Amino acid sequence: MHDSQPLRLSILGIVAVALFTALFSRLWFLQVMSAPEYEAEAQSNRTRSIVVEGPRGRILDRNGQVLAHNRESVVVTVDRATLDAADDRDEVLARLVDELTAAEVDTSVDAIEEAIKNWNGDPFRPIVVADDVNPELYFTLSERASILPGVGVEKTLVRHYPNADLAAHVLGYVGEINDRELAAEADAEKAYQLGDRIGKMGVEQQYEHHLRGTPGQITFEVDSMNRIVSIRSRVEPKPGNDLWLTIDADLQRITEDSMEEEMLRARSEGDFSNDFPITAPAGAAVVVSPRTGEVHAMASYPTFDPNELVDGVTSLRYSQLGVEEVCRRDFYCPLENKAIRGNYPPGSTFKIFTGYAAATSGLRSPGATIQDPGSYTLDPCTGGRCTFYNSNNSAHGSVDLPLALTVSSNVYFFGVGEEFALRDEIYGDRPIQEVAERFGIGSRTGIPLPNEAPGVLIDPALKAQRHEDNPDVFLEGRWNVGDTVNLAIGQGDISVTPAQLANAYATMGNGGTLRHLNIALKVTDPTSGEVIQSFGPRDVRDLELDQGVRQVITDGLVGVTTRTGQHRGTGAVVFDGFPHAQYPVAGKTGTAQVTGKASSSVFAAWAPAQNPEYAVSVMIEQGGYGSGVAAPITRRILEPLANRSIHGTPLGEADLDIDIEAGGAFD
Amino acid sequence: MATTGPTLARPRLGDRSTGVAARVSATPWRHLDVSLVAVLGLLSVVSVVMVLAATHGPRTTTNDTFFMQRQAVFVVLGFVVMFVAAAIDYRHWREWWVAIYGLGMLSLVFVMLFGISAKGTQRGFALAGFQMQPSEFMKIAAIIGLAGFLVGRELDLVRTVAGIGVIGAPVVLILMQPDLGTALVFGAITLGMLLVAGVPARTMLGLLLAAGLAAGVVVTSDVLDEYQKARLTNFVNPDALDRDQRYNTEQSQIAIASGGITGQGLLKGGQTSNGYVPEQQTDFIFTAIGEELGFVGSAGVLLLYGVLLWRILRAAQLSRDAFGTLLCVGVFCLILFQLFENIGMSLGIMPVTGIPLPFMSYGGSSIIVVFVLAGLVLNVHMRRFS
């Protein structure tokens, strides 16, 4: 022992006291002073949440028939954390593959590993390894849960269109949201995240915010391995609203079936038009209400089954369906809604606007007759074409406005066109266009569907502009007299969409009120059925038509479907046997020439002729004469409507076996 | 050397008549430091409970009480070996120190050659189902060895350096395992024992200076691996740590802080029961105490350790001879250093090293060793009169 030992021992004691002081201070700082802030960190450290999509609202037709709803689908999932923690991971996967194979699911261990590896969705959502499997698996896999750790079976909702391709273009489809859509919806009230479904087309896209369910959220506590320990809170998702369309599913079915039937028939007959074979590969038909602007049927051909897109298609199949560069040449782009996207020259259906312009401008009174020898030569001819012909060069003799419409005399309207062009100091440089424009030609109908095309209403200014912008395609910028002459019969650079043409005819038919087209009727609450929003008629303008002239035109158009004898109406053969007395049809054939192809077959009509219920337009590419395909389709659509009006036969029970002789006229 | 004899014990009235009772009453056991034993009992209870807290959880795959049961066995064994260590008069050990020291060294060499590799280090070998860690047992051998070497000699510079060499040899072997933390424990023991053994103040200051310089060189040179350096300096430079290490220290501080004043309640700690803190039943057991028992519980545990250290220092003071004093000082320094390093690491003020918290962390070797050391202290304390 040495003298300084007590001192030295107390040094140790002092060191100990100092160290303890340090520990106590730090403990006080962490647990008393910083506890709240660390506690918050601990919470966010340990809680995760997943968002659960709400069921999407249904889509119904105007009478409540279901057009789109959600189907229960059984999916097999794998929870990565649990699977990886299993001692016999590989055996678990092998057993799972056995179960799936027994249920006729085509899969393999490699395929499942691949799915797990490629998962880029929410890490807390189990990974889907088999989709839409036999519902039996729900029970068999649940029973074997103990030997299949991490494997889950869930029932999920999948969008389903029970009528397959019926009204496919109107409905559209849903698909996984992409980056661009996600960015666009960044501020959406019902927030989106990757993996969510969103409307991609048609009303599914247009009314997305009504249809989409309100997402719910589950917040849970996870352990350090990201495994779920307990559920903290749960906000249940809410279903989206039901959307009622103005579409009448029965009429839609009739429209689509009529189109397909007549197009197949025209194709099989092997006729030619302007030396090109009639193939009738594509077209559209639109039925609207002249009273409200509601669309009752809208069909586009070729069509598609939206269920196919919901389930997922290969990129090749997708490009054939709807990628412009690929589908345009051989597939006629099934995804394109030709009723609002197709640009077709209206042909002779345009003559009612030329005739109205001539009659109301004082150029040529409706009763004045001209001689129609079958051709018309411009005098003087200052450029462009000089001689124009009737279809098939047929001579109609002495014709006034109604008769010119009934027999579709080109010569009558060529004369109108030339006179308008030559006397532009009186009538201006776009006398016909001004009238057509008021009927909505050249502007969108305002139908609430994505990507509607406006059509082209050609006039001197537009022709010059197009040439200036793109001289290689539009070789000439100067407006010739021949351009007005061509426009007078709906040929040349003018083009309309089928919806636009139907709406213009509806406007003439209803006495002169142009309306935006509507596709949605109302939005209702899915549980209470209460109407949340309803969509009434949207008037654009009252044209204040000259009702005398309108009546003359109506008479001419009724003649188209009814007049027989020497001046037979161009649609009379097709409409032979139609109940004209009770349900007269005011219609017009059109045969629009297309360079290098068979003509487009066009028919537009309203019925009954007075105070019409419906206006229809049908436009079939490479279909030949209007009386050849488009008119028969129109009759097949209108006759069940007439029978319902006369006999009260519901559309669903309509006799569709109508004997029609197509053609019979050169227009 | 004196042996235990009835004549030296203070006799009690009436004890002489019955043989056995007389002998027991005459033994040093009547001078047993009951308060120290009581403190150890309390710490052991806390230990077993907190090992359960740290290993139980809603998703634990093994049996929830597996670690707790084993820890309970270790603690009971610990008390047995403590009393055994207290029973054999420590003064014998002074004569045997060379043998004890040699045995410890041999086992260290043995583990170098045949040891179990765990997490890149070779620290132990298996014996009857338990993993033995010779570096833990070396702590006993080193304390006895150094005390034996230092006692009764004039501590000039040569002897002092030789004393450092006594500890230096095992430290080199332990560093080769590599186990930096345990090596540092030996450094703390050496410094404390040299101080109390009477190394002149100037030499002592020189030693401290040299230790500081050495530490500086070690941290800046290539002697240590990057991960070791990063761990040593994390409390001043947390960014140097890799993601896992930073995760450890962050999670342990979050756990302790979220305990607040009164704690989240036993077995209710969110960080603890969900396995956010790694190595929680061993190196980071203090985080379980912090989160579930709060400031009140943590401070209580610190107080128990304070009482424990006070009793050890008291035993060092009361010892009849310098050997006993040095033994107690060795134990004192070991416990103080391990405690400060371990808790300081959990609190984020000390580097991350794998040093167990004495009497608290799960683990057979470390529990047995600290109880043997506690036995030595009891031994010295109760023979203060004999």
Side-chain angles (χ1 to χ4, degrees):
Chain A
M1 294 252 184
H2 47 95
D3 302 339
S4 62
Q5 186 181 295
L7 172 71
R8 289 172 183 245
L9 280 177
S10 47
I11 291 175
L12 284 185
I14 290 163
V15 169
V17 168
L19 296 183
F20 267 67
T21 308
L23 292 182
F24 269 110
S25 330
R26 179 67 180 172
L27 206 55
W28 178 267
F29 172 76
L30 281 181
Q31 295 193 303
V32 181
M33 290 169 69
S34 334
E37 120 200 10
Y38 274 97
E39 175 60 23
E41 197 175 325
Q43 286 301 335
S44 67
N45 205 359
R46 290 202 301 274
T47 56
R48 303 281 187 276
S49 47
I50 55 169
V51 176
V52 185
E53 272 188 283
R56 198 171 173 84
R58 296 179 303 164
I59 302 175
L60 310 161
D61 90 335
R62 62 185 303 119
N63 301 313
Q65 275 196 50
V66 176
L67 300 177
H69 63 147
N70 306 306
R71 173 174 64 82
E72 213 169 60
S73 155
V74 174
V75 296
V76 180
T77 62
V78 163
D79 176 49
R80 193 165 18 188
T82 316
L83 180 69
D84 289 347
D87 300 332
D88 52 350
R89 185 179 185 282
D90 293 345
E91 286 97 282
V92 171
L93 284 184
R95 281 197 287 268
L96 174 61
V97 168
D98 287 346
E99 295 286 348
L100 290 175
T101 315
E104 292 176 0
V105 178
D106 181 27
T107 190
S108 64
V109 171
D110 289 343
I112 290 176
E113 292 278 20
E114 191 76 3
I116 295 173
K117 207 180 79 196
N118 293 338
W119 179 253
N120 54 7
D122 190 325
F124 299 96
R125 277 188 186 176
I127 301 159
V128 175
V129 294
D131 216 337
D132 216 352
V133 297
N134 184 340
E136 287 290 311
L137 268 178
Y138 186 77
F139 302 103
T140 49
L141 287 184
S142 303
E143 279 167 12
R144 293 177 177 73
S146 59
I147 59 162
L148 293 168
V151 174
V153 251
E154 286 174 26
K155 289 181 175 169
T156 63
L157 293 177
V158 175
R159 196 60 160 173
H160 185 62
Y161 305 92
N163 306 301
D165 59 5
L166 186 76
H169 297 90
V170 172
L171 296 174
Y173 63 96
V174 296
E176 212 164 279
I177 193 166
N178 60 35
D179 294 341
R180 189 175 43 77
E181 290 161 334
L182 198 57
E185 298 288 351
D187 300 324
E189 192 186 332
K190 303 167 188 168
Y192 290 85
Q193 57 172 2
L194 272 179
D196 279 0
R197 304 236 143 200
I198 189 170
K200 294 282 189 179
M201 186 187 153
V203 293
E204 289 275 29
Q205 178 183 347
Q206 190 75 31
Y207 293 93
E208 169 70 18
H209 297 291
H210 280 297
L211 291 168
R212 178 170 168 77
T214 308
Q217 188 167 28
I218 306 175
T219 304
F220 46 82
E221 194 176 4
V222 295
D223 68 7
S224 61
M225 307 285 286
N226 274 336
R227 292 173 302 196
I228 298 170
V229 174
S230 65
I231 291 181
R232 281 276 177 85
S233 69
R234 198 180 181 115
V235 179
E236 293 298 336
K238 287 205 281 287
N241 297 327
D242 286 344
L243 175 68
W244 296 63
L245 299 184
T246 58
I247 296 288
D248 180 331
D250 293 330
L251 185 61
Q252 177 75 26
R253 190 172 287 113
I254 290 168
T255 306
E256 291 183 15
D257 292 350
S258 304
M259 270 179 80
E260 185 157 27
E261 184 180 344
E262 289 297 327
M263 289 165 79
L264 289 177
R265 182 192 52 71
R267 227 179 276 173
S268 66
E269 283 173 359
D271 286 348
F272 286 79
S273 153
N274 302 331
D275 299 332
F276 296 102
I278 290 173
T279 53
V286 180
V287 183
V288 305
S289 162
R291 297 173 186 172
T292 58
E294 291 170 359
V295 176
H296 285 241
M298 176 176 274
S300 178
Y301 189 93
T303 186
F304 65 97
D305 182 351
N307 294 307
E308 184 188 355
L309 287 146
V310 169
D311 296 341
V313 290
T314 62
S315 64
L316 173 67
R317 172 77 178 133
Y318 182 77
S319 35
Q320 291 172 354
L321 282 174
V323 175
E324 188 84 4
E325 298 75 30
V326 180
C327 70
R328 186 59 67 199
R329 250 185 48 198
D330 298 321
F331 303 97
Y332 296 94
C333 300
L335 285 186
E336 180 183 61
N337 184 357
K338 294 177 175 59
I340 58 167
R341 291 283 302 163
N343 273 319
Y344 305 105
S348 301
T349 58
F350 189 73
K351 286 174 181 167
I352 65 168
F353 309 112
T354 311
Y356 185 85
T360 52
S361 64
L363 182 87
R364 186 186 283 176
S365 81
T369 57
I370 57 116
Q371 285 305 309
D372 175 1
S375 70
Y376 188 90
T377 303
L378 299 185
D379 180 27
C381 186
T382 53
R385 249 172 94 186
C386 294
T387 302
F388 297 81
Y389 301 93
N390 271 351
S391 185
N392 212 39
N393 304 338
S394 40
H396 296 298
S398 176
V399 291
D400 58 4
L401 176 58
L403 190 57
L405 289 170
T406 299
V407 300
S408 203
S409 162
N410 283 353
V411 170
Y412 181 96
F413 294 97
F414 290 149
V416 171
E418 187 184 24
E419 282 176 50
F420 267 136
L422 294 178
R423 298 166 70 183
D424 59 351
E425 73 284 356
I426 301 171
Y427 300 110
D429 67 350
R430 49 197 306 272
I432 300 172
Q433 289 93 333
E434 273 167 20
V435 169
E437 200 168 64
R438 291 178 56 72
F439 281 90
I441 302 296
S443 24
R444 294 181 173 89
T445 65
I447 189 170
L449 285 175
N451 306 319
E452 186 190 7
V456 179
L457 179 56
I458 193 75
D459 63 14
L462 180 59
K463 187 175 182 186
Q465 185 64 48
R466 298 215 295 189
H467 172 69
E468 194 179 311
D469 293 346
N470 206 344
D472 295 337
V473 177
F474 303 103
L475 298 173
E476 205 185 341
R478 193 170 70 99
W479 187 265
N480 295 312
V481 174
D483 290 327
T484 310
V485 171
N486 244 336
L487 176 71
I489 61 161
Q491 306 276 13
D493 287 338
I494 182 172
S495 63
V496 301
T497 67
Q500 214 170 49
L501 185 62
N503 204 25
Y505 266 62
T507 305
M508 186 68 92
N510 70 22
T513 305
L514 177 69
R515 296 193 177 90
H516 289 303
L517 292 182
N518 272 355
I519 195 76
L521 201 59
K522 60 184 174 181
V523 172
T524 60
D525 184 283
T527 41
S528 67
E530 186 189 334
V531 175
I532 292 166
Q533 190 177 352
S534 54
F535 306 93
R538 294 176 294 153
D539 291 9
V540 179
R541 67 179 81 93
D542 180 356
L543 277 59
E544 293 170 1
L545 295 182
D546 179 325
Q547 295 301 328
V549 175
R550 196 187 76 84
Q551 191 54 54
V552 169
I553 290 171
T554 306
D555 293 345
L557 294 192
V558 171
V560 169
T561 60
T562 56
R563 186 161 178 158
T564 53
Q566 190 207 342
H567 293 295
R568 193 170 65 186
T570 52
V573 169
V574 171
F575 277 85
D576 184 27
F578 190 88
H580 292 293
Q582 301 97 323
Y583 209 83
V585 176
K588 183 73 196 80
T589 52
T591 307
Q593 291 178 11
V594 180
T595 316
K597 287 179 187 169
S599 300
S600 296
S601 172
V602 185
F603 198 85
W606 67 81
Q610 308 301 330
N611 192 17
E613 284 183 295
Y614 295 100
V616 184
S617 80
V618 178
M619 304 182 98
I620 307 295
E621 291 176 33
Q622 302 178 57
Y625 290 123
S627 57
V629 191
I633 292 170
T634 309
R635 179 175 173 187
R636 287 187 188 281
I637 295 167
L638 285 176
E639 196 149 326
L641 291 171
N643 286 332
R644 184 178 65 178
S645 167
I646 301 161
H647 308 295
T649 319
L651 292 179
E653 297 163 21
D655 176 15
L656 301 177
D657 189 16
I658 305 163
D659 191 21
I660 296 176
E661 186 186 336
F666 303 117
D667 195 51
Chain B
M1 287 293 125
T3 50
T4 327
T7 47
L8 286 175
R10 278 185 289 179
R12 273 192 205 165
L13 274 174
D15 276 353
R16 291 185 182 211
S17 49
T18 55
V20 176
R23 224 152 27 91
V24 168
S25 67
T27 64
W29 289 103
R30 47 190 300 226
H31 303 300
L32 182 71
D33 187 350
V34 181
S35 60
L36 197 152
V37 176
V39 164
L40 291 184
L42 286 173
L43 282 174
S44 298
V45 170
V46 175
S47 167
V48 172
V49 172
M50 292 328 289
V51 165
L52 172 67
T55 53
H56 118 291
R59 300 284 292 255
T60 314
T61 44
T62 49
N63 179 2
D64 254 9
T65 55
F66 174 82
F67 287 99
M68 183 201 76
Q69 287 173 8
R70 284 174 66 106
Q71 182 74 348
V73 170
F74 294 149
V75 165
V76 170
L77 259 166
F79 271 92
V80 172
V81 296
M82 174 176 78
F83 287 119
V84 170
I88 306 162
D89 192 330
Y90 70 95
R91 281 162 287 214
H92 295 306
W93 302 46
R94 184 179 172 184
E95 294 151 28
W96 303 336
W97 74 265
V98 179
I100 294 169
Y101 179 79
L103 204 64
M105 286 298 286
L106 269 179
S107 66
L108 272 182
V109 173
F110 185 78
V111 84
M112 288 296 299
L113 300 176
F114 311 108
I116 300 165
S117 211
K119 294 179 187 170
T121 64
Q122 286 199 326
R123 293 184 185 177
F125 52 85
L127 194 71
F130 289 95
Q131 197 181 316
M132 310 292 284
Q133 292 191 334
S135 61
E136 285 294 322
F137 291 99
M138 189 66 215
K139 287 172 181 169
I140 307 171
I143 290 172
I144 294 173
L146 190 59
F149 180 83
L150 292 177
V151 80
R153 296 171 203 257
E154 192 62 36
L155 288 176
D156 57 14
L157 194 60
V158 177
R159 293 221 66 85
T160 305
V161 171
I164 292 169
V166 169
I167 296 292
V171 164
V172 167
L173 285 180
I174 289 165
L175 274 175
M176 282 165 71
Q177 288 183 355
D179 185 353
L180 184 62
T182 306
L184 290 173
V185 176
F186 285 88
I189 294 171
T190 313
L191 275 177
M193 288 175 72
L194 286 177
L195 172 72
V196 176
V199 171
R202 250 174 306 162
T203 318
M204 215 49 222
L205 284 174
L207 273 178
L208 282 172
L209 202 67
L213 272 176
V217 170
V218 161
V219 168
T220 50
S221 73
D222 295 335
V223 180
L224 295 177
D225 287 337
E226 278 305 318
Y227 86 93
Q228 289 177 314
K229 278 195 242 176
R231 285 179 167 205
L232 282 179
T233 54
N234 80 82
F235 59 105
V236 281
N237 182 20
D239 293 341
L241 288 172
D242 70 29
R243 239 183 101 252
D244 282 355
Q245 293 163 358
R246 195 156 62 223
Y247 176 84
N248 291 3
T249 52
E250 277 171 11
Q251 294 299 335
S252 74
Q253 285 177 67
I254 289 173
I256 291 172
S258 56
I261 294 176
T262 51
Q264 298 191 357
L266 201 57
L267 308 187
K268 287 182 191 146
Q271 295 281 113
T272 297
S273 56
N274 291 325
Y276 277 92
V277 185
E279 310 281 341
Q280 204 182 9
Q281 73 275 27
T282 56
D283 297 348
F284 282 96
I285 193 154
F286 192 75
T287 59
I289 299 171
E291 186 179 32
E292 301 198 343
L293 306 181
F295 180 76
V296 174
S298 318
V301 168
L302 273 182
L303 269 177
L304 284 179
Y305 280 113
V307 173
L308 174 68
L309 287 171
W310 168 56
R311 293 314 302 164
I312 297 171
L313 204 58
R314 185 82 186 128
Q317 270 181 341
L318 296 178
S319 171
R320 276 182 74 94
D321 52 24
F323 181 66
T325 300
L326 286 179
L327 282 184
C328 292
V329 165
V331 176
F332 178 90
C333 289
L334 178 139
I335 292 174
L336 177 63
F337 181 82
Q338 291 203 180
L339 167 143
F340 181 72
E341 161 53 32
N342 181 287
I343 297 178
M345 163 183 84
S346 295
L347 292 172
I349 55 171
M350 283 297 280
V352 177
T353 53
I355 293 180
L357 183 57
F359 304 104
M360 193 61 66
S361 290
Y362 171 82
S365 297
S366 67
I367 286 287
I368 300 294
V369 166
V370 288
F371 270 102
V372 168
L373 294 175
L376 287 184
V377 174
L378 288 178
N379 196 333
V380 172
H381 183 266
M382 70 189 188
R383 291 192 173 80
R384 61 190 182 274
F385 304 115
S386 49

